[in-house]
Amino acid sequence: MPLVASKLSDSEIAALAAYYGGPHAAIQNPPDERSMPDGEYGKVVKLGEQIMLHTQDYAGAYVGNTLNCASCHLDAGRKANASPLAAAYVSYPAYRSKTGEVDTYGQRLQGCFIYSMNGHAPPLDDPVLVALESYSAWLARGAPVGGKLPGGGFLKLAQPALAADYLRGSQVYAQSCALCHGADGQGQSSAGKMVFPALWGKQSFNWGAGMQSIASAAGFIKANMPLALGNTLSDQQAWNVAMFINSHERPQDPRYTGSVQDTRQKYHDSADSMYGKTVNGHVLGGN
């Protein structure tokens, strides 16, 4: 390191110091669990971590499927490019086109329960949301407020060279996904506990969830899947399998207007969404 440093200018050294000591570190190196605070506040922070990992046990009253928060927010909300909580926490309050309003972080968490968990929103003062916010704040210690942290959200992939393809996606799924998530996409459980989440069907996220976006799913898959083998699929494979997964039926969008086509026009009018499209003779969203 001294040899390398001797060849750098003062400005380059300053830039490197800012990089490694700044927001990159906040995402890539989240605080160790052993550094959790003590006392009553520490208990609430720890509860937030447990809700992330075991949502069914600690927040089941607000959940309508078999998923846990950590199904998407990997490593208890710590992993970069898997929508880490620290990056989300410092980004709010913020305007969201989904709601057409400036949302607080608590409101953003409520949306996760409504859409990703296919349940209903805990009140803003509910112990579940207080614990999740406290845990997020602890993970975000030292991170700058109001900016975009590296590794936040999901990986943004360029549009594929070839249009995402259902058949090719089914082949990727069979080779790289079915072992954990099942050939039928319904996941796997053990002793009554979900181990690998359902990717479609009644126990998966609903049509209002962010993961129903092909682009979001492709970015998540590319960076994180197969589990512990992220970045082994090509970008094209990630797009194809995301399109395949999101071409299956799932719970209705809670914003459903009474008409699939009207709901698509109002909330899903994008090439990114399969809602309202016909796949294998079935109109998705028609249940």
Side-chain angles (χ1 to χ4, degrees):
M1 181 62 78
L3 179 61
V4 174
S6 68
K7 298 180 179 181
L8 299 176
S9 68
D10 290 345
S11 61
E12 288 171 328
I13 291 173
L16 282 171
Y19 180 93
Y20 286 108
H24 296 74
I27 293 299
Q28 301 298 338
N29 300 297
D32 190 278
E33 185 176 351
R34 292 170 295 183
S35 69
M36 277 190 178
D38 297 323
E40 294 304 312
Y41 175 61
K43 290 179 183 178
V44 176
V45 171
K46 181 66 175 179
L47 175 60
E49 181 187 51
Q50 292 304 300
I51 293 170
M52 289 294 300
L53 293 169
H54 310 291
T55 317
Q56 302 293 322
D57 296 331
Y58 290 89
Y62 301 112
V63 177
N65 55 26
T66 56
L67 303 188
N68 293 306
C69 298
S71 299
C72 297
H73 305 275
L74 302 181
D75 191 21
R78 299 165 180 258
K79 191 175 186 302
N81 295 316
S83 200
L85 299 187
Y89 182 78
V90 300
S91 299
Y92 285 88
Y95 176 81
R96 298 184 70 217
S97 58
K98 185 169 186 173
T99 63
E101 298 176 350
V102 172
D103 287 351
T104 65
Y105 185 61
Q107 290 171 313
R108 180 67 181 86
L109 292 174
Q110 286 180 319
C112 288
F113 281 95
I114 294 170
Y115 299 111
S116 296
M117 310 305 288
N118 193 39
H120 61 280
L124 289 174
D125 60 352
D126 189 274
V128 167
L129 286 193
V130 173
L132 288 172
E133 290 187 66
S134 298
Y135 177 59
S136 300
W138 174 72
L139 287 174
R141 289 185 308 171
V145 175
K148 298 264 185 203
L149 298 188
F154 299 135
L155 192 65
K156 300 296 189 293
L157 294 182
Q159 288 293 315
L162 302 174
D165 183 83
Y166 180 95
L167 179 59
R168 291 191 179 93
S170 71
Q171 295 167 347
V172 176
Y173 185 86
Q175 295 166 359
S176 301
C177 312
L179 179 64
C180 293
H181 296 286
D184 60 357
Q186 300 311 292
Q188 295 189 55
S189 61
S190 176
K193 303 283 187 181
M194 186 274 291
V195 179
F196 297 107
L199 300 182
W200 61 80
K202 293 181 180 179
Q203 296 304 323
S204 191
F205 53 89
N206 66 43
W207 279 111
M211 197 66 83
Q212 68 83 35
S213 157
I214 297 174
S216 294
F220 175 82
I221 291 166
K222 171 66 179 179
N224 301 293
M225 295 292 140
L227 193 63
L229 294 173
N231 292 301
T232 58
L233 296 178
S234 70
D235 289 8
Q236 185 71 58
Q237 286 175 315
W239 279 102
N240 288 343
V241 76
M243 191 268 194
F244 171 76
I245 290 168
N246 285 350
S247 293
H248 290 79
E249 197 59 272
R250 58 187 63 261
Q252 183 59 264
D253 190 326
R255 303 166 296 182
Y256 182 61
T257 66
S259 160
V260 171
Q261 292 309 315
D262 180 61
T263 304
R264 175 174 174 83
Q265 184 175 6
K266 192 168 184 179
Y267 300 113
H268 298 274
D269 189 17
S270 164
D272 248 357
S273 178
M274 295 300 296
Y275 184 91
K277 294 188 176 182
T278 301
V279 177
N280 297 328
H282 174 73
V283 178
L284 295 171
N287 294 330

